Amino acid sequence: AQSVTQLDSHVSVSEGTPVLLRCNYSSSYSPSLFWYVQHPNKGLQLLLKYTSAATLVKGINGFEAEFKKSETSFHLTKPSAHMSDAAEYFCVVSAVGGNTPLVFGKGTRLSVIA
Amino acid sequence: DSGVTQTPKHLITATGQRVTLRCSPRSGDLSVYWYQQSLDQGLQFLIQYYNGEERAKGNILERFSAQQFPDLHSELNLSSLELGDSALYFCASSGGWDHIYNEQFFGPGTRLTVL
């Protein structure tokens, strides 16, 4: 069975400061890991994905995530927050091999203060 | 634009009624997934179809059913609706050339309100 735990339900940062959204995963085998973002009243957009090719994954809009197997973590970071980053972020796990359901974390709401 | 379309965008109905939500996957994708997003349960997987066959089932109520047609579009049927069924219902697809990593592409969702 797979699961993800997002350690913060809400994170608030000032514009221009770094962003850190924390995620721990549990999986009995090598997982695929994703971060999705959901802006208010919008659908889900893929930010980045870990597919075992590299432990540091670069995504869209300046976001990165690092896969740390020893810590079972996949934290999302961005060096400098922008107002447009305010949204709900979901850490997601699935089995490698394709065509399997995604398991979502409960989400972290990111607020960016001007 | 993900390439996944869902209709309708909004649906308002009464308790006890039945509704059908429709999803067209990305061109070339064989898998369609249905997810429910509600305030208390978060984002939950409901059911998956792969090339017309049911592939996996999640927390889907017996009042709900789905199917995938030969042209690969899918429909989610919700019957005997209750107030608690009010939620955002997402469809996602995968199974194209990048399917091995299971990246799923999400539609814009159907917001269901049961009054």
Side-chain angles (χ1 to χ4, degrees), chain B residues 7 27 31 68 74 79:
Chain B
T7 56
S27 177
S31 268
Q68 186 179 28
S74 177
S79 61

PDB file of all heavy atoms in Angstrom, chain B residues 7 27 31 68 74 79:
ATOM      1  N   THR B   7     -17.695  17.361 -19.162  1.00  0.00           N
ATOM      2  CA  THR B   7     -18.956  18.092 -19.216  1.00  0.00           C
ATOM      3  C   THR B   7     -19.953  17.448 -18.278  1.00  0.00           C
ATOM      4  O   THR B   7     -19.904  16.220 -18.054  1.00  0.00           O
ATOM      5  CB  THR B   7     -19.540  18.096 -20.651  1.00  0.00           C
ATOM      6  OG1 THR B   7     -19.691  16.745 -21.106  1.00  0.00           O
ATOM      7  CG2 THR B   7     -18.639  18.864 -21.605  1.00  0.00           C
ATOM      8  N   SER B  27      -6.086  12.482 -26.509  1.00  0.00           N
ATOM      9  CA  SER B  27      -5.936  11.625 -27.675  1.00  0.00           C
ATOM     10  C   SER B  27      -4.799  10.620 -27.435  1.00  0.00           C
ATOM     11  O   SER B  27      -3.688  11.001 -27.043  1.00  0.00           O
ATOM     12  CB  SER B  27      -5.614  12.501 -28.897  1.00  0.00           C
ATOM     13  OG  SER B  27      -5.386  11.699 -30.020  1.00  0.00           O
ATOM     14  N   SER B  31      -6.329   4.883 -20.558  1.00  0.00           N
ATOM     15  CA  SER B  31      -6.866   4.817 -19.190  1.00  0.00           C
ATOM     16  C   SER B  31      -7.642   6.077 -18.841  1.00  0.00           C
ATOM     17  O   SER B  31      -7.199   7.180 -19.150  1.00  0.00           O
ATOM     18  CB  SER B  31      -5.738   4.675 -18.171  1.00  0.00           C
ATOM     19  OG  SER B  31      -5.462   3.344 -17.896  1.00  0.00           O
ATOM     20  N   GLN B  68     -16.645   2.868 -19.821  1.00  0.00           N
ATOM     21  CA  GLN B  68     -15.814   3.472 -20.856  1.00  0.00           C
ATOM     22  C   GLN B  68     -16.252   2.888 -22.190  1.00  0.00           C
ATOM     23  O   GLN B  68     -16.347   1.671 -22.344  1.00  0.00           O
ATOM     24  CB  GLN B  68     -14.334   3.201 -20.624  1.00  0.00           C
ATOM     25  CG  GLN B  68     -13.426   3.943 -21.599  1.00  0.00           C
ATOM     26  CD  GLN B  68     -11.948   3.701 -21.347  1.00  0.00           C
ATOM     27  OE1 GLN B  68     -11.554   2.654 -20.829  1.00  0.00           O
ATOM     28  NE2 GLN B  68     -11.114   4.662 -21.710  1.00  0.00           N
ATOM     29  N   SER B  74     -15.620   8.321 -21.276  1.00  0.00           N
ATOM     30  CA  SER B  74     -16.154   7.639 -20.099  1.00  0.00           C
ATOM     31  C   SER B  74     -17.283   8.457 -19.496  1.00  0.00           C
ATOM     32  O   SER B  74     -17.347   9.675 -19.653  1.00  0.00           O
ATOM     33  CB  SER B  74     -15.045   7.453 -19.060  1.00  0.00           C
ATOM     34  OG  SER B  74     -15.543   6.857 -17.880  1.00  0.00           O
ATOM     35  N   SER B  79     -26.337   7.993  -8.735  1.00  0.00           N
ATOM     36  CA  SER B  79     -27.775   7.867  -8.547  1.00  0.00           C
ATOM     37  C   SER B  79     -28.139   8.006  -7.072  1.00  0.00           C
ATOM     38  O   SER B  79     -27.264   7.973  -6.196  1.00  0.00           O
ATOM     39  CB  SER B  79     -28.259   6.524  -9.092  1.00  0.00           C
ATOM     40  OG  SER B  79     -27.646   5.468  -8.396  1.00  0.00           O
TER      41      SER B  79
END
